[in-house]
């Protein structure tokens, strides 16, 4: 079993690490660069994006012919972790959700004409995008089969009607991928559609206030009121919406985990530094066994997360959907990033609870990790389904060819 990475991936990792250290962390440390929603302000972001692009550190997730670096999921796992050492890292490299997942699914599922119109402007950084699936009660959430938004065929067009919520980035996004029901077929009842912000027939009802920092464009509740879209806006094919969501959400869940590992490592970095410098009751904090146990345990949890993520990344690169591998990584890393922020705040005492470090930012952000892209319980349900079907076969090693 080979746990080494290629020289090409190591070169990207090292260049990203240097970029984060020299270019992004100083900006993150300057509160003037933060916007009202605790994200990097656009006028600070733009020059960093230009610089990342000029250094060839742009869109690692895409193939070179799409304008990316063709790193594959294994290479991305290494590099995304490095990017998210800074809370502002991923968006600088055009590797932040939801554009990251939207670009990856458009690259796979869109026709050439759709790629030119809907994907290329996201790749260039000219527009951002949203993925609209979740609906308020009684519509579809964890269970997409409950989706109520409809797209009714009318001649050469589809008419969309319904309500979505928690749509990340919607207040800023130019391009939308929206899921709607085109029939009652349980497997082929949903269809994915593409639309532009400036087209009539939809509106933002409200920007939902949340507990954590926000992606640019927030999290919005949006309404489709008889939005008419031509048939060439269908992505992949009518009735293939569930397939689009599977194609999008598997890799997107995993790239979330890759980034969250970077945040978890940053938490240990801040905690370790404080523990090494702080004394109490005549003893350095880092010399106390109780602190060593906490940080040692965290280090092990991060490594377990990296192994789960890397195995899933490898399986996807081999052509698998890696459903159970992604589910295991998602549950573990979502809980880990939450725990890492919690432990680091505890080790830092009152400083950890302040806004003098990014720990409180990570703590507030981390709570959503256990809900988005499949709540813990949904992934546990998926794992149990695999276990029930495969029994002892759940745990197997792939055998090398010949
Ligand atoms: C910050 C944030 C950003 C988001 N961005 C987007 C976005 O861009 N686009 C989009 O479409 N959606 C987005 N969402 C929505 C997100 O994907 C959903 O919240 C998630 O899929 C869960 O759906 P729900 O909220 O309807 O929860 P529900 O389906 O109502 O579930 C509620 C709870 O019930 C439990 N539960 C559910 N199913 C099971 C089960 N099978 N077994 C046991 N327990 C279960 C879980 O604890 C779950 O948290 C976002 C959400 C947040 C918080």
């Amino acid at each position: 079993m080979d746990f080494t990475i290629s020289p090409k991936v190591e070169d990207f990792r090292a260049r990203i690490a240097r970029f984060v250290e020299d270019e992004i962390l100083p900006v993150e440390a300057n509160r003037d660069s933060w916007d009202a929603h605790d994200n990097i302000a656009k006028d600070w972001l733009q020059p960093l994006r230009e610089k990342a692009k000029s250094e060839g550190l742009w869109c690692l997730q895409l193939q070179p012919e799409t304008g990316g670096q063709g790193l594959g999921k294994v290479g991305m796992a290494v590099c995304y972790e490095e990017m998210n050492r800074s809370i502002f890292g991923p968006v600088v490299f055009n590797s932040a959700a939801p554009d990251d997942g939207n670009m990856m699914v458009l690259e796979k599922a869109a026709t050439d004409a759709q790629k030119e119109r809907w994907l290329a402007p996201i790749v260039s950084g000219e527009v951002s995008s949203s993925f609209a699936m979740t609906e308020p009660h009684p519509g579809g959430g964890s269970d997409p089969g409950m989706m109520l938004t409809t797209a009714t065929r009318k001649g050469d067009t589809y008419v969309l009607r319904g309500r979505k919520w928690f749509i990340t980035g919607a207040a800023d996004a130019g391009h939308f991928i929206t899921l709607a029901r085109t029939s009652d077929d349980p497997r082929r009842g949903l269809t994915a559609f593409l639309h532009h912000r400036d087209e009539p027939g939809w509106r933002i009802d409200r920007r939902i206030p949340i507990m954590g920092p926000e992606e640019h464009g927030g999290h919005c509740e949006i309404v489709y009121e008889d939005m008419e879209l031509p048939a060439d806006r269908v992505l992949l094919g009518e009735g293939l919406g569930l397939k689009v969501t599977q194609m999008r959400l598997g890799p997107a869940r995993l790239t979330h985990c890759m980034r969250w590992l970077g945040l978890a490592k940053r938490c240990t970095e801040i905690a370790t530094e404080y523990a090494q410098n702080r004394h109490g009751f005549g003893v350095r904090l880092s010399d106390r066994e109780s602190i060593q146990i906490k940080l040692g345990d965290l280090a092990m949890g991060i490594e377990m997360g990296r192994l789960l993520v890397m195995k899933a990344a490898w399986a996807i690169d081999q052509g698998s959907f890696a459903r159970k591998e992604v589910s295991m990584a998602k549950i573990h890393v979502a809980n880990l990033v939450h725990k890492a922020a919690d432990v680091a705040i505890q080790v830092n005492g009152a400083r950890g609870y302040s806004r003098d470090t990014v720990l409180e930012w990570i703590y507030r952000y981390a709570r959503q990790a256990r809900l988005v892209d499949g709540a813990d319980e949904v992934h546990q349900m998926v794992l149990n389904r695999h276990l029930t079907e495969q029994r002892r076969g759940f745990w197997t090693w792939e055998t090398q060819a010949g």
Side-chain angles (χ1 to χ4, degrees):
M1 203 159 289
D2 186 355
F3 288 99
T4 58
I5 56 172
S6 70
K8 175 184 164 182
V9 170
E10 171 52 19
D11 176 59
F12 271 103
R13 188 208 61 76
R15 288 194 287 138
I16 287 165
R18 187 210 55 76
F19 196 99
V20 171
E21 174 75 33
D22 296 348
E23 310 287 345
I24 307 181
L25 286 177
V27 172
E28 181 201 278
N30 177 1
R31 285 279 167 161
D32 291 345
S33 72
W34 294 42
D35 70 12
H37 303 285
D38 288 349
N39 205 336
I40 181 170
K42 291 270 182 71
D43 48 347
W44 288 79
L45 174 62
Q46 209 44 43
L48 286 173
R49 289 190 126 196
E50 291 307 325
K51 194 148 206 261
K53 217 186 266 186
S54 73
E55 294 190 17
L57 301 174
W58 186 254
C59 282
L60 270 53
Q61 65 278 60
L62 303 175
Q63 294 307 312
E65 56 272 23
T66 319
Q69 309 297 336
L71 277 204
K73 298 290 176 293
V74 165
M76 286 160 63
V78 174
C79 294
Y80 276 35
E81 182 184 305
E82 206 66 75
M83 287 175 192
N84 227 161
R85 182 172 171 225
S86 166
I87 56 174
F88 296 155
V91 71
V92 169
F93 302 100
N94 206 1
S95 298
D99 284 343
D100 179 45
N102 291 341
M103 287 189 289
M104 288 191 287
V105 76
L106 286 172
E107 185 179 46
K108 280 221 178 84
T111 62
D112 286 346
Q114 286 174 333
K115 281 183 194 170
E116 200 179 318
R117 175 159 183 199
W118 301 100
L119 172 58
I122 313 175
V123 176
S124 69
E126 195 185 311
V127 303
S128 61
S129 60
S130 282
F131 188 80
M133 183 165 162
T134 307
E135 300 171 344
H137 179 76
S142 301
D143 179 359
M146 291 162 66
M147 197 169 292
L148 294 176
T149 300
T150 52
T152 312
R153 191 86 199 222
K154 184 179 140 198
D156 287 343
T157 65
Y158 289 85
V159 180
L160 268 68
R161 171 160 279 272
R163 182 176 284 267
K164 304 280 181 186
W165 76 344
F166 283 93
I167 306 312
T168 303
D172 266 15
H175 294 182
F176 288 75
I177 305 172
T178 296
L179 270 291
R181 179 168 295 289
T182 39
S183 82
D184 289 332
D185 187 301
R187 293 299 305 165
R188 296 174 70 105
L190 303 181
T191 301
F193 292 90
L194 298 160
H195 78 82
H196 192 274
R197 170 185 52 211
D198 295 338
E199 291 175 312
W202 81 287
R203 64 182 167 83
I204 294 178
D205 202 24
R206 65 178 180 134
R207 184 167 171 150
I208 304 169
I210 61 165
M211 74 181 271
E214 291 183 23
E215 283 82 356
H216 296 114
H219 304 279
C220 301
E221 184 161 350
I222 68 180
V223 186
Y224 290 95
E225 293 164 319
D226 295 334
M227 178 179 215
E228 215 163 310
L229 294 175
D232 67 359
R233 301 302 183 76
V234 170
L235 184 60
L236 201 62
E238 183 176 319
L240 298 180
L242 208 54
K243 188 161 183 205
V244 170
T245 66
Q246 284 162 352
M247 285 166 76
R248 185 190 183 280
L249 291 177
R253 282 168 179 143
L254 197 62
T255 56
H256 264 321
C257 295
M258 297 170 186
R259 291 183 289 262
W260 295 339
L261 285 165
L263 291 177
K265 284 167 68 180
R266 179 78 183 279
C267 292
T268 63
E269 193 181 322
I270 297 170
T272 303
E273 196 187 339
Y274 186 79
Q276 282 172 350
N277 289 304
R278 182 70 173 158
H279 293 74
F281 304 97
V283 177
R284 203 161 63 137
L285 219 45
S286 60
D287 291 335
R288 289 194 178 275
E289 199 175 12
S290 56
I291 298 294
Q292 291 167 3
I293 289 169
K294 280 194 215 307
L295 294 176
D297 187 53
L298 217 44
M300 179 181 71
I302 290 171
E303 189 63 6
M304 286 159 64
R306 298 176 87 216
L307 292 172
L308 286 169
V309 166
M310 200 49 102
K311 185 172 178 207
W314 174 84
I316 291 178
D317 282 346
Q318 304 302 305
S320 161
F321 278 118
R323 288 209 177 89
K324 69 183 186 196
E325 288 82 0
V326 168
S327 282
M328 284 189 274
K330 169 71 174 50
I331 298 166
H332 177 80
V333 180
N335 283 274
L336 170 80
V337 67
H338 192 236
K339 179 178 165 183
D342 185 57
V343 167
I345 287 172
Q346 192 68 17
V347 170
N348 273 265
R351 177 176 184 256
Y353 193 66
S354 77
R355 306 195 84 188
D356 284 0
T357 76
V358 291
L359 292 176
E360 65 80 34
W361 187 106
I362 298 174
Y363 186 76
R364 287 184 294 122
Y365 171 80
R367 190 60 187 86
Q368 61 153 296
R370 291 166 54 203
L371 302 169
V372 296
D373 285 3
D376 287 355
E377 294 85 353
V378 173
H379 288 290
Q380 283 155 346
M381 178 183 75
V382 169
L383 290 176
N384 180 65
R385 198 158 57 217
H386 283 278
L387 182 64
T388 308
E389 281 165 12
Q390 299 170 346
R391 307 287 173 106
R392 280 168 43 78
F394 184 95
W395 301 278
T396 52
W397 300 113
E398 295 291 324
T399 313
Q400 287 164 4

PDB file of all heavy atoms in Angstrom, residues 140-152:
ATOM      1  N   GLY A 140     -38.735  18.923   0.322  1.00  0.00           N
ATOM      2  CA  GLY A 140     -37.582  18.020   0.409  1.00  0.00           C
ATOM      3  C   GLY A 140     -36.414  18.615   1.170  1.00  0.00           C
ATOM      4  O   GLY A 140     -36.011  19.745   0.928  1.00  0.00           O
ATOM      5  N   GLY A 141     -35.875  17.843   2.118  1.00  0.00           N
ATOM      6  CA  GLY A 141     -34.651  18.209   2.843  1.00  0.00           C
ATOM      7  C   GLY A 141     -33.718  17.028   2.774  1.00  0.00           C
ATOM      8  O   GLY A 141     -33.200  16.707   1.697  1.00  0.00           O
ATOM      9  N   SER A 142     -33.574  16.323   3.908  1.00  0.00           N
ATOM     10  CA  SER A 142     -32.747  15.116   3.902  1.00  0.00           C
ATOM     11  C   SER A 142     -33.252  14.126   2.856  1.00  0.00           C
ATOM     12  O   SER A 142     -32.472  13.407   2.236  1.00  0.00           O
ATOM     13  CB  SER A 142     -32.784  14.441   5.276  1.00  0.00           C
ATOM     14  OG  SER A 142     -32.326  15.319   6.262  1.00  0.00           O
ATOM     15  N   ASP A 143     -34.561  14.083   2.694  1.00  0.00           N
ATOM     16  CA  ASP A 143     -35.168  13.153   1.731  1.00  0.00           C
ATOM     17  C   ASP A 143     -35.583  13.915   0.471  1.00  0.00           C
ATOM     18  O   ASP A 143     -36.628  14.584   0.448  1.00  0.00           O
ATOM     19  CB  ASP A 143     -36.392  12.497   2.403  1.00  0.00           C
ATOM     20  CG  ASP A 143     -37.097  11.528   1.470  1.00  0.00           C
ATOM     21  OD1 ASP A 143     -36.655  11.371   0.305  1.00  0.00           O
ATOM     22  OD2 ASP A 143     -38.107  10.931   1.906  1.00  0.00           O
ATOM     23  N   PRO A 144     -34.776  13.832  -0.611  1.00  0.00           N
ATOM     24  CA  PRO A 144     -35.112  14.586  -1.822  1.00  0.00           C
ATOM     25  C   PRO A 144     -36.395  14.090  -2.478  1.00  0.00           C
ATOM     26  O   PRO A 144     -36.999  14.788  -3.286  1.00  0.00           O
ATOM     27  CB  PRO A 144     -33.901  14.359  -2.733  1.00  0.00           C
ATOM     28  CG  PRO A 144     -33.176  13.182  -2.190  1.00  0.00           C
ATOM     29  CD  PRO A 144     -33.539  13.052  -0.733  1.00  0.00           C
ATOM     30  N   GLY A 145     -36.838  12.890  -2.103  1.00  0.00           N
ATOM     31  CA  GLY A 145     -38.086  12.343  -2.639  1.00  0.00           C
ATOM     32  C   GLY A 145     -39.296  13.178  -2.244  1.00  0.00           C
ATOM     33  O   GLY A 145     -40.377  13.020  -2.814  1.00  0.00           O
ATOM     34  N   MET A 146     -39.115  14.051  -1.249  1.00  0.00           N
ATOM     35  CA  MET A 146     -40.238  14.890  -0.797  1.00  0.00           C
ATOM     36  C   MET A 146     -40.303  16.233  -1.527  1.00  0.00           C
ATOM     37  O   MET A 146     -41.084  17.109  -1.168  1.00  0.00           O
ATOM     38  CB  MET A 146     -40.110  15.133   0.718  1.00  0.00           C
ATOM     39  CG  MET A 146     -40.354  13.884   1.547  1.00  0.00           C
ATOM     40  SD  MET A 146     -39.711  14.077   3.218  1.00  0.00           S
ATOM     41  CE  MET A 146     -40.763  15.355   3.862  1.00  0.00           C
ATOM     42  N   MET A 147     -39.479  16.367  -2.570  1.00  0.00           N
ATOM     43  CA  MET A 147     -39.398  17.667  -3.244  1.00  0.00           C
ATOM     44  C   MET A 147     -40.732  18.089  -3.850  1.00  0.00           C
ATOM     45  O   MET A 147     -41.413  17.296  -4.499  1.00  0.00           O
ATOM     46  CB  MET A 147     -38.329  17.598  -4.340  1.00  0.00           C
ATOM     47  CG  MET A 147     -37.896  18.966  -4.805  1.00  0.00           C
ATOM     48  SD  MET A 147     -36.446  18.860  -5.843  1.00  0.00           S
ATOM     49  CE  MET A 147     -35.202  18.325  -4.689  1.00  0.00           C
ATOM     50  N   LEU A 148     -41.113  19.344  -3.609  1.00  0.00           N
ATOM     51  CA  LEU A 148     -42.415  19.852  -4.058  1.00  0.00           C
ATOM     52  C   LEU A 148     -42.325  20.838  -5.211  1.00  0.00           C
ATOM     53  O   LEU A 148     -43.325  21.098  -5.882  1.00  0.00           O
ATOM     54  CB  LEU A 148     -43.143  20.530  -2.874  1.00  0.00           C
ATOM     55  CG  LEU A 148     -43.545  19.595  -1.725  1.00  0.00           C
ATOM     56  CD1 LEU A 148     -44.171  20.396  -0.592  1.00  0.00           C
ATOM     57  CD2 LEU A 148     -44.504  18.516  -2.211  1.00  0.00           C
ATOM     58  N   THR A 149     -41.154  21.438  -5.429  1.00  0.00           N
ATOM     59  CA  THR A 149     -41.008  22.375  -6.553  1.00  0.00           C
ATOM     60  C   THR A 149     -41.255  21.614  -7.851  1.00  0.00           C
ATOM     61  O   THR A 149     -40.691  20.532  -8.054  1.00  0.00           O
ATOM     62  CB  THR A 149     -39.594  22.990  -6.563  1.00  0.00           C
ATOM     63  OG1 THR A 149     -39.412  23.686  -5.337  1.00  0.00           O
ATOM     64  CG2 THR A 149     -39.402  23.946  -7.729  1.00  0.00           C
ATOM     65  N   THR A 150     -42.090  22.172  -8.706  1.00  0.00           N
ATOM     66  CA  THR A 150     -42.430  21.459  -9.939  1.00  0.00           C
ATOM     67  C   THR A 150     -41.890  22.193 -11.166  1.00  0.00           C
ATOM     68  O   THR A 150     -41.720  23.415 -11.143  1.00  0.00           O
ATOM     69  CB  THR A 150     -43.964  21.328 -10.095  1.00  0.00           C
ATOM     70  OG1 THR A 150     -44.533  22.630  -9.952  1.00  0.00           O
ATOM     71  CG2 THR A 150     -44.553  20.376  -9.075  1.00  0.00           C
ATOM     72  N   ALA A 151     -41.625  21.442 -12.199  1.00  0.00           N
ATOM     73  CA  ALA A 151     -41.290  21.999 -13.512  1.00  0.00           C
ATOM     74  C   ALA A 151     -42.231  21.322 -14.499  1.00  0.00           C
ATOM     75  O   ALA A 151     -42.110  20.133 -14.768  1.00  0.00           O
ATOM     76  CB  ALA A 151     -39.848  21.713 -13.865  1.00  0.00           C
ATOM     77  N   THR A 152     -43.183  22.103 -14.993  1.00  0.00           N
ATOM     78  CA  THR A 152     -44.223  21.539 -15.855  1.00  0.00           C
ATOM     79  C   THR A 152     -43.908  21.859 -17.310  1.00  0.00           C
ATOM     80  O   THR A 152     -43.623  23.004 -17.651  1.00  0.00           O
ATOM     81  CB  THR A 152     -45.600  22.165 -15.482  1.00  0.00           C
ATOM     82  OG1 THR A 152     -45.731  22.098 -14.056  1.00  0.00           O
ATOM     83  CG2 THR A 152     -46.739  21.420 -16.136  1.00  0.00           C
TER      84      THR A 152
END
